[in-house]
Amino acid sequence: MDFTFPLVTGRLVQRYKRFLADIILDDGAAITSSVPNTGSMLGLTDPGIKVWLSLSDGAKRKYRHTLQMVEVDGTMVGINTGLPNRIAEEAILAGLIPSLSGYAELKREQKYGLNSRIDILLQGPGRRAAYVEVKNVHFSRKPGLAEFPDSPTARGAKHLDELGNMVENGNRGAMLYVVQRGDCEQLRICGDLDPVYAAAFDRAMKRGVEAYAVKCHITPMGIAAISTMPIID
């Protein structure tokens, strides 16, 4: 997934209201940027960290800048939760996850379960439909180890239960974790920060839900999945 225009850089002053951040650009301008991430962004919002932002000239936009990446311990980390679905789709179509490749049809944002939408639905003759839920990952406390979630997510637990229902109805259900940082080689479900989600994950695995994680290569030009990584206990 390539950015359509060059990113600009600056330093974070503060993030607030979840969806806004004050930033000093490298040219000295003080701006307010939108933040396309409603999560806690734990460990990624320290004042003074380097940030990368996209810039839009849309006349209807209140904030022209959108935060895309931050730098932590020398690593670029993607924070835009609107991108992982595109990254996941590219990874599937490229055959990076063999068990999800080769489907004749890929559909986006299809209704399923109880008032939910599945991120990706894979269908094809002679194969069980695969319901793929995509999650963004950018949290890491230990070198080489990514963790999800970084804060409680009741919605995420609900998705795991609904995927289990899809499996029991004769389909495939899969969680696909997109790790938007290049310094991690493994993923762990973070039970200490969200024991409810961890229990739902264990429950889903026992029901036959599949789980995959992909590592991303991140540059100011774009973000792309480059390999899979193991999910460990």
Side-chain angles (χ1 to χ4, degrees):
M1 187 228 69
D2 295 330
F3 293 112
T4 56
F5 39 77
L7 302 184
V8 296
T9 56
R11 297 284 174 175
L12 180 68
V13 177
Q14 64 170 336
R15 181 203 184 196
Y16 56 99
K17 294 183 179 179
R18 294 277 181 172
F19 53 86
L20 294 175
D22 288 336
I23 292 165
I24 302 296
L25 299 180
D26 286 351
D27 64 8
I31 61 100
T32 296
S33 168
S34 63
V35 179
N37 187 317
T38 59
S40 71
M41 288 178 57
L42 190 62
L44 304 177
T45 58
D46 292 340
I49 64 172
K50 186 174 182 179
V51 298
W52 281 260
L53 310 100
S54 55
L55 179 62
S56 173
D57 291 325
K60 295 183 178 180
R61 288 181 60 95
K62 184 175 182 180
Y63 304 103
R64 296 180 61 208
H65 294 83
T66 301
L67 184 62
Q68 298 290 347
M69 297 179 291
V70 304
E71 182 177 317
V72 178
D73 297 327
T75 296
M76 297 176 69
V77 181
I79 63 88
N80 188 340
T81 57
L83 300 184
N85 283 15
R86 294 168 57 187
I87 298 168
E89 181 178 326
E90 291 177 359
I92 291 170
L93 294 177
L96 191 63
I97 308 164
S99 64
L100 296 179
S101 67
Y103 275 90
E105 188 174 21
L106 183 153
K107 295 181 179 179
R108 308 179 184 95
E109 297 291 331
Q110 298 296 300
K111 291 183 178 180
Y112 87 117
L114 299 174
N115 300 316
S116 294
R117 287 182 178 272
I118 196 68
D119 292 317
I120 297 172
L121 174 59
L122 302 172
Q123 295 176 308
R127 302 185 69 179
R128 290 182 296 152
Y131 289 77
V132 184
E133 182 70 31
V134 180
K135 295 298 182 187
N136 177 68
V137 182
H138 48 46
F139 179 47
S140 177
R141 293 178 289 186
K142 180 180 178 181
L145 181 64
E147 297 183 87
F148 182 88
D150 64 355
S151 59
T153 170
R155 185 168 175 264
K158 174 190 173 187
H159 289 157
L160 285 164
D161 287 333
E162 290 187 334
L163 288 176
N165 293 338
M166 292 298 103
V167 172
E168 292 182 355
N169 287 333
N171 304 290
R172 295 175 66 189
M175 285 298 313
L176 178 50
Y177 298 94
V178 176
V179 182
Q180 283 201 78
R181 53 189 303 155
D183 60 347
C184 294
E185 304 297 334
Q186 298 176 317
L187 171 70
R188 183 181 78 91
I189 302 303
C190 194
D192 59 319
L193 294 184
D194 190 351
V196 173
Y197 184 86
F201 181 86
D202 291 341
R203 191 163 59 245
M205 296 303 102
K206 292 176 181 177
R207 298 175 75 187
V209 174
E210 305 159 39
Y212 306 95
V214 294
K215 175 180 178 176
C216 291
H217 178 60
I218 302 174
T219 73
M221 282 70 72
I223 302 174
I226 56 172
S227 65
T228 57
M229 65 171 64
I231 300 174
I232 64 172
D233 292 334

